[in-house]
Amino acid sequence: SREKATSGKRVLQSRPKTSQRDPKAAVQEVVSKRRIPQSRLGEKPGFEEFLDKLSADDRKLVLSVQDALDENNFSAVARTARHALESTNPVVREAAVEALGWFGAEALPDLTPLMADVDDNVAETATAQWELALGEIDDSATRAAIAEATMRVIKNKETLQSIVCEITKQDDDFTILESLVSLIEDSNAVCAEVAREEYETVTGEEWTDIDTANAWLEQNYDPPQEEP
């Protein structure tokens, strides 16, 4: 009965906005080893020709990002990259994304909004760097928390479908459904659609509402066994 589900058992509830997990907070729990750049942007073939095609302001932005990268200083790279990302030139924004990617998990919060860039190349580069950075994190719960927060700002369905698997890789069905239900209720319609499709894959049932999700858990949920 539904009463049994509320007696001593975890029950899914709509999550208030203030309790939604933040990717920056999750990343701060991870002590990641910074990667030292093995080559300068300026060592790429055709770099001088690339600079010649830029406006004076864009050229200054790219070179400032490279100078900060040479110092292996994430704070400086992030600061200069944010300025570069304001450029209307997508190749300048892509150069900033590549610089951020050198810093792995530490750069995840900065890479996240770039996955939704209006330019496909910038968005694809940011997504690739984000996936590599996420791979540096061993804890599946932390990866899932970051994935959930990231999905809220992405509107590309293919990208969302590749991210949601980080949530469903967890061992606890309750935790999986808790995240998926929260995403289904998100104002990002594409995110909600992907989460709903994933919910239906996990449960084998059509999504209707949170009460039905709790009824599924009542009949099917087996809490993970703690290791002795």
Side-chain angles (χ1 to χ4, degrees), residues 58 87-96 117-122:
D58 281 344
S87 171
T88 57
N89 190 335
V91 295
V92 174
R93 301 199 300 276
E94 189 170 358
D117 194 275
V118 294
D119 182 83
D120 288 343
N121 287 334
V122 176

Side-chain angles (χ1 to χ4, degrees), residues 47-149:
F47 185 72
E48 291 301 326
E49 292 82 356
F50 164 72
L51 286 179
D52 289 341
K53 295 177 181 178
L54 299 178
S55 67
D57 287 342
D58 281 344
R59 187 183 306 116
K60 183 177 179 181
L61 286 170
V62 171
L63 291 175
S64 67
V65 170
Q66 180 58 63
D67 288 342
L69 188 59
D70 286 344
E71 297 173 2
N72 196 32
N73 184 329
F74 173 70
S75 296
V77 168
R79 184 173 58 253
T80 55
R82 287 179 197 125
H83 289 301
L85 293 167
E86 295 173 1
S87 171
T88 57
N89 190 335
V91 295
V92 174
R93 301 199 300 276
E94 189 170 358
V97 169
E98 291 177 356
L100 288 168
W102 282 109
F103 294 89
E106 194 169 9
L108 280 166
D110 294 282
L111 288 168
T112 297
L114 296 165
M115 297 163 70
D117 194 275
V118 294
D119 182 83
D120 288 343
N121 287 334
V122 176
E124 288 171 6
T125 300
T127 300
Q129 295 286 4
W130 183 92
E131 289 173 346
L132 287 171
L134 192 70
E136 296 183 359
I137 300 174
D138 293 329
D139 181 64
S140 62
T142 300
R143 288 200 308 272
I146 295 169
E148 180 186 332

